[in-house]
């Protein structure tokens, strides 16, 4: 997925993001459509809620990149909602929409994320948000690392495991 003339670090981040998402979507695609709303994939979430969750966090990363473009990253991040509370709200919203709608939302958020990342000057990767996270950490955590985490969850679900194996154990 090489983009023309991108700085090497940005290209590396984009390639990793695309590869991790492709793996996630392939694993998600293995789920029988009749089970898309069956709870238990990740906690009480079905694949529908998981797609909503991924879309939200891809959008969060896109927003952090936008804020960095505007010179406002230092004010981004602090909020009165914990991550768990935010995830619960996102899951409730996702449960109110059908699978196709959540898939479209995730795709749109991902495209914004990838587009903004491709436009980023790599010098901005070290900028910090209000929580002290660098932009590069946000991009990784909300992006490739997050897609990989939930790919492992899906695989664990297929294997009947209560929790995915630790990535270090997989080596």
């Amino acid at each position: 997925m090489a983009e023309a003339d991108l700085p090497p670090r940005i290209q590396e981040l984009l390639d990793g993001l695309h590869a991790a998402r492709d793996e996630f979507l392939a694993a998600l695609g293995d789920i029988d459509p009749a089970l898309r709303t069956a709870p238990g994939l990740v906690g009480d979430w079905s694949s529908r809620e998981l797609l909503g969750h991924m879309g939200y966090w891809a959008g969060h990363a896109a927003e952090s990149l936008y804020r960095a473009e505007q010179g406002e990253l230092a004010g981004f991040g602090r909020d009165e909602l914990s991550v768990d509370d935010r995830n619960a709200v996102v899951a409730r919203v996702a449960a109110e929409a059908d699978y196709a709608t959540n898939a479209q939302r995730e795709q749109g958020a991902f495209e914004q994320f990838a587009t903004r990342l491709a436009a980023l000057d790599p010098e901005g990767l070290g900028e910090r948000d209000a929580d002290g996270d660098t932009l590069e950490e946000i991009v990784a955590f909300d992006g490739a690392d997050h897609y990989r985490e939930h790919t492992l969850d899906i695989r664990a679900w297929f294997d009947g495991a209560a929790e995915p194996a630790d990535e270090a154990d997989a080596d």
Side-chain angles (χ1 to χ4, degrees), residues 20 22 44 52 89 130 149 167:
D22 288 348
D44 291 335
V89 170
E149 172 190 351
E167 284 186 68

Side-chain angles (χ1 to χ4, degrees), residues 1-3 8 10-20 117 148:
M1 239 251 163
E3 305 281 335
I10 298 299
Q11 187 64 61
E12 181 182 339
L13 289 168
L14 267 174
D15 289 346
L17 177 62
H18 282 281
L117 181 56
R148 285 186 198 107

Side-chain angles (χ1 to χ4, degrees), residues 3-132:
E3 305 281 335
D5 301 320
L6 288 180
R9 183 62 186 138
I10 298 299
Q11 187 64 61
E12 181 182 339
L13 289 168
L14 267 174
D15 289 346
L17 177 62
H18 282 281
R21 181 174 181 258
D22 288 348
E23 291 172 23
F24 171 79
L25 292 177
L28 201 62
D30 289 339
I31 297 173
D32 184 328
L35 298 176
R36 287 181 174 166
T37 59
L41 180 61
V42 177
D44 291 335
W45 297 348
S46 69
S47 59
R48 175 185 58 196
E49 286 85 20
L50 182 57
L51 265 173
H53 171 81
M54 296 307 296
Y56 175 83
W57 289 105
H60 181 267
E63 176 70 12
S64 70
L65 290 163
Y66 172 76
R67 290 294 201 76
E69 290 168 14
Q70 302 302 310
E72 300 171 354
L73 185 62
F76 181 70
R78 295 237 188 251
D79 201 324
E80 56 278 349
L81 284 179
S82 70
V83 170
D84 289 341
D85 289 343
R86 181 168 316 286
N87 284 338
V89 170
V90 169
R92 280 195 306 273
V93 170
E96 293 173 1
D98 61 24
Y99 186 89
T101 298
N102 281 298
Q104 288 173 336
R105 290 174 179 166
E106 184 279 334
Q107 180 177 344
F110 176 83
E111 288 171 1
Q112 283 295 311
F113 180 11
T115 298
R116 290 197 180 285
L117 181 56
L120 181 68
D121 178 341
E123 294 295 319
L125 288 169
E127 290 183 43
R128 295 190 181 275
D129 71 1
D131 293 323

